[in-house]
Amino acid sequence: MYNFLLGVVIVLSVLIVIGIMMQPSKQNSAASAFTGGADNLFGRQKARGFEAFMQKATAYLGAAWLILLLLLAYLSSVN
């Protein structure tokens, strides 16, 4: 069981990295590199289409990854 969950965590880790790399960039100018994109922090733009899907998918993958890591920590402390 432990080895299976460890394999799933490794696969999820790779999928999270791919998902983060596939997200569209939100920085449009060189000035936003210095401000850190703070001008868009409180903007009311809502993600749509592919961007919204990637945000949700990354969030769900991250949550599943965290839960599996906590489960692995518990299983390793029981033995």
Side-chain angles (χ1 to χ4, degrees), residues 5-79:
L5 289 178
L6 187 61
V8 172
V9 166
I10 291 171
V11 169
L12 277 178
S13 299
V14 171
L15 289 175
I16 289 171
V17 169
I18 292 171
I20 290 172
M21 296 298 287
M22 287 181 61
Q23 289 185 4
S25 174
K26 294 181 182 177
Q27 295 184 0
N28 296 328
S29 66
S32 63
F34 295 111
T35 62
D39 52 341
N40 294 331
L41 180 62
F42 298 107
R44 295 185 180 236
Q45 291 180 329
K46 193 171 185 179
R48 298 174 191 245
F50 179 71
E51 184 178 356
F53 171 75
M54 288 308 298
Q55 285 179 354
K56 288 179 184 177
T58 305
Y60 289 137
L61 287 172
W65 182 76
L66 182 64
I67 290 168
L68 286 175
L69 285 178
L70 291 173
L71 184 60
L72 280 174
Y74 173 74
L75 288 175
S76 67
S77 67
V78 170
N79 291 336

